[in-house]
Amino acid sequence: MLANKLQLAYPIVLVLGGLALSFVAPFSNITINPELVFLIFLPPLLYEAAWQVSWKEFWKWRGLIIGFAFPIVLLTSCVIAIVSSAIIPGFTLALGFLLGGIVSPPDAVSATTIMRRVSVPKSLVSIVEGESLLNDASSLIVFRFALAAVLTGQFQFQAAAVNFVAVILIGILSGLVVGLIFYGIHRLLPTTPSIEIVLTLVTPYCLYYFAEHFHVSGVLAVVSGGLLLSSKRNSLLSYRSRIEGVNVWTNLVFVLNGLIFLLIGLELPFVTQQLGNISLGSAVGYGLIIAIVLIATRLLCTLGTSVWMRVMSRFIPVSDPNPGWRGPLIFGWAGMRGVVSLASALSVPILTEVGQPFPYRELILFITFIVILITLVFQGLTLPWLIRKVHLRDRFTLIPQQQQEIIIQKKIALASLRFLEEKYGAERSRNEHLDNLFSKLEIDLKFFDRQLAESNFAWQNSLTGYQSIYLKVLERRRELLNKMNRRAEFDEELIRKYLLLTDVEEFKVREIGAQESDTE
């Protein structure tokens, strides 16, 4: 609520709130079991993100998304490995790659929460969401190989490269296989809306643990399976399941993200106490340097990719031959770290295979927390200011969103009217309800034609007036229904049904109003 009041992304306020609470005695010694982060939090958060991503936009920007998800993650890990091993005494390259794998993936929740509050092109939001999906997987794969190198003391590049590709491909394949199994369950078994929603909650865990059982990428399995099932949502779920499922998942993900970001703040003092021989000042200094290097590397990569795409557009088709500097600058600055970095850092084992304490584990944890705090708070607070300063224009939306909405409504009404005329035109005179439907669609068509012909200002004024009056009508409808409910002859279940329909009507009216204000 405070975040909404201050118009900030809620992860920022939750992290700072958790940090403040950690200095209060009852909350001063809270720790997180790393197994719980992977067991409870990661699968549903990744699955929901896969369902939210627009497949059309994902495919359109696939080159850029894949480039940032794999080569850029590897490059970032290399840079962090070199810098950390150079500035931290006794820190090896293997430990540096481990740290790089932990801090390289950006968190989409914070970035997209901010971007939706400030006017940015939808294409940029889609790229950020798509990138975060895949680079979570690639960073965890880097982390896994670096961890194995630290634990065993051996690293063979050729074998690691082959395993890297195998883990990716088999992880994607396992996700598609499990996704198809669940698609068959939804389609063939006699499910109800409640069962279908429960199945969507079970699916991400099955995707993740099936892949992890075979030691391949569970993250990529969740992403690929989620994208597959998301593309089939209309044949997969009934209309009631889609409506009710959105509400369940929205609140579930909000709670999970809230808990994770709160725990990040709560955990920091405990991690600080575990630093041992390393002074707090030195540890903070290392964290600051790594955070600055991380931010600079991402900015150089995004701006460098802009130049690269412009050069390559002369030889091959690219998604955007002239990206400029504004979009890449915002994209680069939107690289806040979050849930996946936290989960990876916490999963570093306490002991090695020979029973020795894992080298620099506490420092790796502390640096990760510092990086999350700096990127989340500093970049998160300055991102809206940067977006407003650069005046980024949407070069890919050919038709304004408001006009698109009217065109979509007009095409739906026209297609419906033509279908009725072809199939049931003769029955119009004999069926009063059907005649009313014909008349409503004909009136809607005239209304949409007039909207497209009028100026934007006139349309906005008429819409605002209509919404205000209609909301008053709906409130009066509720008063009537509640008054009727006090009378013995009316069934309360029926009254609740019409109250729910009134709520749906209000939702539709307010959603249209919110969309119009967003496009201004």
Side-chain angles (χ1 to χ4, degrees), residues 220-242:
L220 274 178
V222 174
V223 170
S224 58
L227 288 172
L228 171 68
L229 294 173
S230 172
S231 67
K232 305 287 186 185
R233 69 179 72 193
N234 290 326
S235 58
L236 186 76
L237 303 173
S238 65
Y239 76 96
R240 279 193 61 185
S241 302
R242 288 195 294 272

Side-chain angles (χ1 to χ4, degrees), residues 67-78:
F68 271 89
F70 295 103
I72 302 300
V73 164
L74 290 173
L75 176 62
T76 304
S77 299
C78 290

